[in-house]
Amino acid sequence: MSQETEIISLKHLLTIESLSNQEVMGLIKRAQAFKEGASSRLSQTEPYYVANLFFENSTRTHKSFEVAERKLGIEVIPFEVSTSSINKGESLYDTVLTLSALGISACVIRHSEEEYYNELIQSPTIRSSIINGGDGSGQHPTQCLLDMMTIYEEFGSFDHLSIAIVGDINHSRVAKSNMQLLKRLGATLYFSGPEDWYTEEYSVYGEYLPLDDLLPKVDVIMLLRIQHERHHSDEVFSKESYHAHYGLTIERAKLLPKHGIIMHPAPVNRDVELADGLVESLQSRIVQQMTNGVFMRMAILEAILEGKVQ
């Protein structure tokens, strides 16, 4: 596949399973091309309008979409939930219906409701494309794709890689997107973390092991943020206890192979999921993940807007 000639066109981006392996690799190659300085293929004669609707807090996803949109020359239409008609009781559907009627080409949406997008894409009237910026504990396809880009940059392939996903798996939309795609791309998966935060449904993707047992086996360890906002208030645990039992401590990190890398979608709870001193260590790719987020989202936006003109 040539990154110079391959053109990926998408109507929406909602889940990772909606993408073929060819589309995934096309987006990775295009994001790499943007990182190396490639110009946008979008027509500069007609303006594109995009709105970012974030109903849950976000720094990396929200702001990297904004940077990606501005780098592509897209008109970013400001939208703040706190000052919108949502506060007058307007539904998500009617909000997107309005933005579509105003000529917004695409809406990037993060919402607490899983699969919020179904009624939007089934609408006979809404014409805006939908990019899922995270739906509850469902999926986070754009984070998944930037994670794949980061791994591909490091190893050049997914075949025969061993990858561990560790932590709050039940509540992580990143984990669910990543386990589906990594398995499909040929990686061997392991899981670890509190057993109460893991269910057997994930065993079709990989094996659950104690953290100390899997660390020497893996090329990549992907740590997950504890999603306090999705836990019941009666679940009590201390950050010190979590770090000691399930976190990547300085001592545990020594069990990783020398070529092994550390990833985390952030925000990081330092000294909980991993030791403070590992966040910016030589084996960490956490900052690179954040940087790659801009270029992957440029590739996604270009593919969506390319799809609008065909």
Side-chain angles (χ1 to χ4, degrees):
M1 181 181 297
S2 167
Q3 66 186 42
E4 297 300 326
T5 58
E6 182 72 16
I7 296 176
I8 305 298
S9 297
L10 302 172
K11 185 174 182 181
H12 307 286
L13 178 57
L14 307 173
T15 64
I16 207 65
E17 58 261 40
S18 66
L19 296 175
S20 67
N21 288 1
Q22 184 180 21
E23 288 171 328
V24 168
M25 290 310 301
L27 289 169
I28 290 173
K29 295 290 180 79
R30 188 63 182 144
Q32 287 184 308
F34 277 130
K35 193 171 182 178
E36 292 164 4
S39 300
S40 168
R41 293 180 177 129
L42 296 175
S43 166
Q44 300 302 311
T45 58
E46 292 289 332
Y48 295 97
Y49 299 102
V50 172
N52 303 312
L53 287 66
F54 279 71
F55 293 83
E56 291 187 323
N57 296 336
S58 172
T59 299
R60 275 148 295 277
T61 304
H62 192 169
K63 295 308 171 188
S64 68
F65 261 113
E66 279 194 13
V67 173
E69 288 153 4
R70 294 178 196 282
K71 279 178 172 279
L72 290 171
I74 295 168
E75 296 281 350
V76 184
I77 304 303
F79 181 90
E80 295 295 337
V81 172
S82 60
T83 56
S84 74
S85 289
I86 294 287
N87 286 326
K88 298 176 183 176
E90 187 168 60
S91 65
L92 173 62
Y93 181 92
D94 284 338
T95 299
V96 177
L97 181 68
T98 301
L99 294 173
S100 175
L102 296 178
I104 301 297
S105 305
C107 293
V108 179
I109 303 176
R110 170 171 289 186
H111 200 278
S112 59
E113 180 183 335
E114 289 187 31
E115 301 184 5
Y116 67 80
Y117 42 75
N118 283 335
E119 67 170 347
L120 306 179
I121 63 170
Q122 290 165 8
S123 165
T125 312
I126 291 173
R127 294 288 177 265
S128 302
S129 292
I130 306 300
I131 302 174
N132 182 10
D135 60 304
S137 297
Q139 289 224 9
H140 197 344
T142 68
Q143 177 72 43
C144 176
L145 288 166
L146 76 88
D147 288 347
M148 297 306 114
M149 175 185 176
T150 304
I151 294 170
Y152 190 78
E153 277 185 333
E154 190 76 26
F155 299 101
S157 172
F158 299 94
D159 281 335
H160 308 303
L161 286 182
S162 293
I163 298 176
I165 300 177
V166 178
D168 193 355
I169 298 171
N170 273 344
H171 297 101
S172 174
R173 50 198 173 209
V174 176
K176 287 162 190 161
S177 295
N178 284 2
M179 68 176 76
Q180 289 182 23
L181 186 54
L182 284 166
K183 178 75 173 176
R184 212 172 73 195
L185 293 173
T188 299
L189 289 184
Y190 297 98
F191 300 105
S192 195
E195 292 191 56
D196 288 346
W197 298 354
Y198 173 86
T199 58
E200 275 303 308
E201 67 181 284
Y202 310 133
S203 62
V204 298
Y205 300 105
E207 181 182 5
Y208 179 92
L209 288 175
L211 185 54
D212 289 347
D213 292 354
L214 65 79
L215 283 171
K217 302 174 185 284
V218 298
D219 304 291
V220 180
I221 178 168
M222 307 178 81
L223 298 152
L224 304 171
R225 180 177 71 86
I226 299 175
Q227 311 232 347
H228 295 284
E229 68 276 22
R230 303 190 202 284
H231 283 269
H232 298 297
S233 57
D234 57 353
E235 290 183 71
V236 178
F237 53 88
S238 72
K239 65 178 186 180
E240 292 82 6
S241 172
Y242 183 93
H243 188 59
H245 289 92
Y246 309 110
L248 188 65
T249 63
I250 295 288
E251 284 303 310
R252 276 203 184 102
K254 294 175 183 174
L255 297 173
L256 281 169
K258 289 192 182 305
H259 69 272
I261 63 171
I262 300 166
M263 297 175 66
H264 190 303
V268 174
N269 293 307
R270 291 178 184 246
D271 289 329
V272 182
E273 295 106 23
L274 73 163
D276 176 49
L278 295 173
V279 175
E280 296 161 78
S281 66
L282 289 176
Q283 285 183 287
S284 171
R285 296 296 179 271
I286 297 171
V287 174
Q288 187 176 327
Q289 286 175 269
M290 292 188 269
T291 301
N292 285 346
V294 171
F295 301 109
M296 177 51 73
R297 287 168 177 130
M298 289 174 72
I300 292 165
L301 286 160
E302 185 185 67
I304 292 283
L305 296 174
E306 285 270 0
K308 305 291 286 185
V309 298
Q310 291 187 4

